[in-house]
Amino acid sequence: RAHGGAPGNLVVLFGAATGRDGIHGASFASVELDERSEERRPAVQVGDPLTEKLLMEACLALRDRGLLAGLQDLGAAGLTSSTVEMADKTGSGIFIDLDRVPRRAPAMTPYELLLSESQERMLAAVEPGRLAEVEAVLDRWELPHAVIGRITGDGVVRMLAEGRAVVEVPVRLFTDACPAYELVGEEDDEVQRARATTPDLPAEADWGAALLEVLAHPNIGNKGAIWQRYDSMVGTNTMIGPGADAAVLRLKGRRDGVAISVDGNSRLCYLDPYLGGALAVAESARNLSCVGARPLCATDCLNFGNPEKPGVAYQLRRVVAGMAAACEALGVPIVSGNVSLYNENLGTAIYPTPIVGMAGRIDEVAHHLTPGFVAGGDLIYLLGGDEVSLGGSIHAWIRTGSLSGTPALLDLEMERRMQECLRAAIAGGLLRSAHDCSDGGLTVAVSECALAGDIGSVIETPDSGNPNPAETLFGEGPARVVVSLAPNDLAGLEALARDHDVPLRRLGVVGGEELAWGNLFALSLTAVRAAWDGALVGLTHS
């Protein structure tokens, strides 16, 4: 809650000290880059995950003890937005003495103090009589803190620095002054031509080599070089860490747990913004379902070019419309989010990139599932539809060097039924593993299952006689999950699939030390892992 309660309440700033990092961070996130952009590097915030953890624990302790009249995080525009928002929610005013703000950089000006977006800071409104209790909690969590002001009753934001007024503005001028823009959008001819162009793929002499090339692509391969830099086990609540479809966290002393996923696909949003926005939501929900979680809510990060340009305005409108349709169909509300616009470099916009983060609940966290195959002799099935396309696929992008084609259509009703069926199968103990089939298509999904379980598989593809089965191997489409199960659980899975009206197709069996695909190719797990592990070699540094 952001409100600060009655006039006279104290305003307490706690957490990390304020520095020059992050000044203009919000505006830098929405700016066209040019040759002078290097000068604005201080706009990038410097995070400290350990301080963030202490801050979260302290906030929960303050809340649980009823010590807060209001609480506001310091995000975009730092103290400026947090103090104004607190005053607005209070319906009163606020007074701040900037000289009392703890800082870690010398000679900071009032302008810098007000616009710094240094991370790990919170603003609390506290009744004067409870200040000592609040300070005791903050000391317990070793968080610096200072009383920097108070809630007033005059409806004005007042700020002093070195004894003189530097801000004196009615709150309503900050909060009621936002103009509304009517964006005029029209799709670029270039995008229309790309979508209407079928990817011109050359004939493949070696399908196994083609798979290894896809696995070695930075968008597909092992991201461990990035996430291993962070401690994903802080608090010992992590049950599934980075690298799976979704992270799973236990809640100590409870049977249920929390799952979190993050997804987005800028290639598909470029070719078809409406469909791409819907697919981002569907995939994030699907990844939660793969671990056994029911999606509950979502947040989004909308990254686009200059919306004053008709082509970008069209992308923004259509992506949001697609996301809204998918959220409504899957019953997942957007509860928060942010927008980063004007992302262009020398006049060229980024691909439209909506990122969807989603949280879900697992009723029995001990029954969560992972992507890895488990045991030789288990059956491998594809749960969901066969609607796939090479349009916008990683394979076509690698082979042609450009984006083209029409992505596979999304049947939201099929997506909903498939995810419900999947969650029921996991809750019923029918499955050994489950993995979303998305980027890279079916071959990549099966490869990742084999790598995660460190055991091979034999796929019995009906397309072995097809001279160019690229769509079967690498076609990408929604509402598809690769699952494995013990043979004696097949009848139960078939019954669930019938009840939910979801297609179920046999792919093969788990076992061996190879990834074998009909008579198309057979690769050792060693070769598959080498390609996958090498995706970021040379692209990262210590």
Side-chain angles (χ1 to χ4, degrees):
R1 53 183 181 174
H3 64 80
N9 283 346
L10 303 176
V11 177
V12 179
L13 177 64
F14 63 95
T18 299
R20 288 191 171 91
D21 57 305
I23 295 175
H24 288 300
S27 58
F28 182 72
S30 293
V31 68
E32 293 187 32
L33 302 183
D34 54 29
E35 292 86 348
R36 298 184 58 191
S37 298
E38 185 71 13
E39 301 173 7
R40 303 190 65 178
R41 288 187 63 189
V44 178
Q45 301 95 329
V46 179
D48 179 356
L50 294 180
T51 300
E52 183 71 37
K53 174 63 174 173
L54 297 176
L55 195 70
M56 292 168 60
E57 294 294 345
C59 289
L60 293 174
L62 291 170
R63 180 204 63 185
D64 292 344
R65 299 182 189 186
L67 297 176
L68 297 172
L71 185 66
Q72 174 72 35
D73 73 302
L74 274 73
L79 266 175
T80 300
S81 63
S82 61
T83 52
V84 168
E85 288 175 22
M86 182 171 283
D88 180 52
K89 297 296 191 302
T90 304
S92 302
I94 196 166
F95 166 78
I96 299 294
D97 185 348
L98 293 175
D99 293 338
R100 299 184 179 184
V101 174
R103 62 201 75 184
R104 61 172 179 263
M108 291 186 70
T109 66
Y111 182 88
E112 292 173 325
L113 288 169
L114 285 170
L115 291 181
S116 169
E117 294 178 17
S118 296
Q119 301 291 287
E120 292 83 44
R121 298 182 300 162
M122 298 292 288
L123 199 70
V126 178
E127 296 175 3
R130 310 206 71 178
L131 177 62
E133 296 175 80
V134 169
E135 291 179 327
V137 171
L138 298 177
D139 290 339
R140 160 69 178 81
W141 291 102
E142 300 181 352
L143 291 172
H145 50 85
V147 176
I148 65 169
R150 65 182 182 276
I151 302 298
T152 63
D154 58 6
V156 176
V157 176
R158 285 189 174 85
M159 298 187 181
L160 298 185
E162 298 181 351
R164 65 183 181 88
V166 293
V167 176
E168 193 166 4
V169 180
V171 176
R172 62 178 180 81
L173 292 184
F174 285 113
T175 57
D176 296 337
C178 297
Y181 295 93
E182 185 66 31
L183 299 180
V184 178
E186 182 178 358
E187 188 171 31
D188 288 341
D189 292 341
E190 177 185 352
V191 178
Q192 294 181 23
R193 287 192 296 270
R195 187 170 58 247
T197 302
T198 302
D200 185 16
L201 300 178
E204 295 287 348
D206 186 339
W207 289 107
L211 172 59
L212 294 179
E213 193 169 356
V214 172
L215 289 171
H217 193 279
N219 282 12
I220 298 293
N222 187 359
K223 309 301 190 301
I226 297 173
W227 56 256
Q228 286 171 356
R229 298 166 186 260
Y230 302 89
D231 186 352
S232 59
M233 299 300 293
V234 172
T236 67
N237 290 319
T238 304
M239 302 191 73
I240 301 180
D245 292 277
V248 173
L249 306 175
R250 67 174 179 174
L251 302 172
K252 286 188 175 74
R254 296 173 51 162
R255 299 174 66 178
D256 58 349
V258 176
I260 302 170
S261 64
V262 179
D263 287 284
N265 191 317
S266 59
R267 302 187 315 276
L268 303 184
C269 289
Y270 173 79
L271 291 170
D272 189 326
Y274 182 91
L275 179 59
L279 286 168
V281 171
E283 183 174 359
S284 199
R286 193 183 318 129
N287 280 326
L288 290 180
S289 295
C290 281
V291 299
R294 176 171 56 89
L296 295 178
C297 59
T299 185
D300 59 28
C301 178
L302 306 178
N303 306 283
F304 291 81
N306 182 349
E308 298 170 44
K309 298 178 179 179
V312 176
Y314 176 87
Q315 292 172 340
L316 180 57
R317 280 181 172 274
R318 295 296 289 165
V319 162
V320 171
M323 294 174 65
C327 285
E328 184 174 358
L330 300 176
V332 182
I334 298 282
V335 297
S336 67
N338 70 334
V339 177
S340 178
L341 305 177
Y342 298 92
N343 293 290
E344 303 199 0
N345 187 13
L346 302 179
T348 301
I350 65 168
Y351 288 150
T353 309
I355 301 299
V356 178
M358 201 170 287
R361 173 183 174 180
I362 304 178
D363 292 335
E364 295 286 344
V365 71
H367 294 168
H368 68 270
L369 222 55
T370 59
F373 292 146
V374 174
D378 281 354
L379 306 179
I380 305 171
Y381 272 75
L382 178 66
L383 181 67
D386 285 319
E387 183 71 31
V388 297
S389 172
L390 289 169
S393 68
I394 284 284
H395 175 69
W397 198 17
I398 292 173
R399 284 291 175 262
T400 65
S402 62
L403 287 181
S404 62
T406 303
L409 296 178
L410 170 62
D411 181 342
L412 284 168
E413 179 58 24
M414 166 66 79
E415 183 76 56
R416 183 190 63 78
R417 295 198 310 270
M418 187 281 294
Q419 292 191 31
E420 287 182 352
C421 178
L422 176 61
R423 295 194 297 268
I426 295 173
L430 298 176
L431 301 181
R432 295 281 186 91
S433 70
H435 185 38
D436 171 37
C437 185
S438 54
D439 285 359
L442 192 57
T443 47
V444 168
V446 172
S447 299
E448 290 172 341
C449 293
L451 291 173
D454 198 26
I455 186 171
S457 61
V458 177
I459 303 301
E460 307 148 355
T461 171
D463 290 274
S464 298
N466 188 336
N468 193 26
E471 193 167 84
T472 298
L473 298 176
F474 300 112
E476 299 175 9
R480 305 198 310 156
V481 171
V482 174
V483 301
S484 69
L485 64 157
N488 59 2
D489 287 322
L490 178 58
L493 181 60
E494 289 175 330
L496 273 179
R498 286 193 302 271
D499 291 344
H500 289 84
D501 191 22
V502 176
L504 182 65
R505 177 162 66 90
R506 179 183 169 111
L507 295 177
V509 294
V510 176
E513 299 180 355
E514 288 186 331
L515 182 62
W517 203 283
N519 63 3
L520 294 178
F521 64 84
L523 297 169
S524 70
L525 276 185
T526 301
V528 173
R529 188 174 298 280
W532 189 70
D533 283 343
L536 297 185
V537 172
L539 298 180
T540 61
H541 61 277
S542 60

